[in-house]
Amino acid sequence: MRFASIQMYANFAPLRQATDDLWAFVRDQLRAKGLDGVPDGLSWNSTYHDAWLDPDLLLSQTCGYPYVSRLQGRVRLVATPEYEYPGCSGADMRSFAIVRDESRFDSVSDAKSMRVAINQLESNSGYNLLRALIAPHADQGRFFSSVLHTGSHDASLAAVRNGGADIAAIDCITFGNIAQFDPKSIDGIRILAETPVGPGLPFITRSGASDEEVALLRDALSAAIASPALGETRRVLSLKNFHVLDDDDYARLKFLDDRAGRLGYPRIN
């Protein structure tokens, strides 16, 4: 039996339920096409990191930065979702550099020597895109006075709001989800700047999946976009479409990584 794990944007109960509903539709589509070993439900017991390289993986979602840094060639790209939130454009997304309302910052350069909150070093939205935004303003490889590692976008946002940090980068989908399901948590927060854009978080399967299986997965996801029965599910997820991208598309994220190094800012500090 294969397994599926889609946890990247399921941190509110309505999102988790909608993700389960999306999977139930995809599951039934795959079974109707004769694919064996399709699990009844999503796996919620392990972290999303654990799923990515599992040899039994049928479907999961990863971040673009770990994809280009360590997963490429070890998993197969299936499709990249397009979301309806501000900051999203087709398969591309960006992050918002957020600060407190009362902060004196008018531009990114004003945040020099301030405290930054980072969700994870492997995060494209919270680290790689933020570094790409900051690199042109860094001085001899430095910009911030300190770096707080929070473990999640929610915790980074809370750190800024509560005064534990001055700035953080929150991807446009997470920011949109928070605005929809927990708007009070962004009271007192404003967007200072937008990062460069790059392809969003791809759905993936194991490297040993056949071309036929990948095609079936793509067909099932496309059917989920077209189905009238999933209208409310798509609305809750703010899910608009799926796009088939390749490694050349995701090379843009590696370009931003390399460019920061060429500008003398290989890591956020």
Side-chain angles (χ1 to χ4, degrees), residues 40-190:
D40 290 335
L42 292 170
S43 174
W44 295 101
N45 296 325
S46 59
T47 68
Y48 52 79
H49 294 91
D50 294 335
W52 295 342
L53 292 175
D54 193 294
D56 291 323
L57 177 65
L58 178 60
L59 190 68
S60 188
Q61 187 176 21
T62 186
C63 177
Y65 191 42
Y67 177 74
V68 298
S69 63
R70 66 181 179 91
L71 296 178
Q72 190 171 328
R74 305 171 71 191
V75 297
R76 295 195 66 173
L77 292 173
V78 176
T80 299
E82 173 183 352
Y83 297 94
E84 300 233 28
Y85 286 128
C88 302
S89 177
D92 283 348
M93 50 80 71
R94 72 192 72 216
S95 291
F96 299 134
I98 58 147
V99 296
R100 289 182 297 282
D101 278 344
E102 73 269 16
S103 71
R104 58 181 173 78
F105 310 141
D106 293 321
S107 67
V108 168
S109 60
D110 294 337
K112 191 171 186 179
S113 298
M114 296 298 103
R115 302 163 299 164
V116 65
I118 299 294
N119 60 328
Q120 295 180 23
L121 296 178
E122 266 202 323
S123 172
N124 183 56
S125 54
Y127 186 86
N128 189 42
L129 295 183
L130 177 61
R131 181 179 48 177
L133 177 68
I134 294 300
H137 306 281
D139 182 16
Q140 296 183 344
R142 298 200 63 83
F143 186 82
F144 297 109
S145 63
S146 64
V147 180
L148 174 66
H149 297 272
T150 65
S152 72
H153 279 306
D154 291 347
S156 292
L157 192 153
V160 173
R161 187 181 180 202
N162 297 333
D166 301 302
I167 189 171
I170 311 297
D171 75 88
C172 56
I173 300 99
T174 296
F175 194 86
N177 284 335
I178 292 171
Q180 181 177 185
F181 296 109
D182 188 21
K184 289 185 178 180
S185 72
I186 55 176
D187 285 350
I189 292 291
R190 64 182 171 92

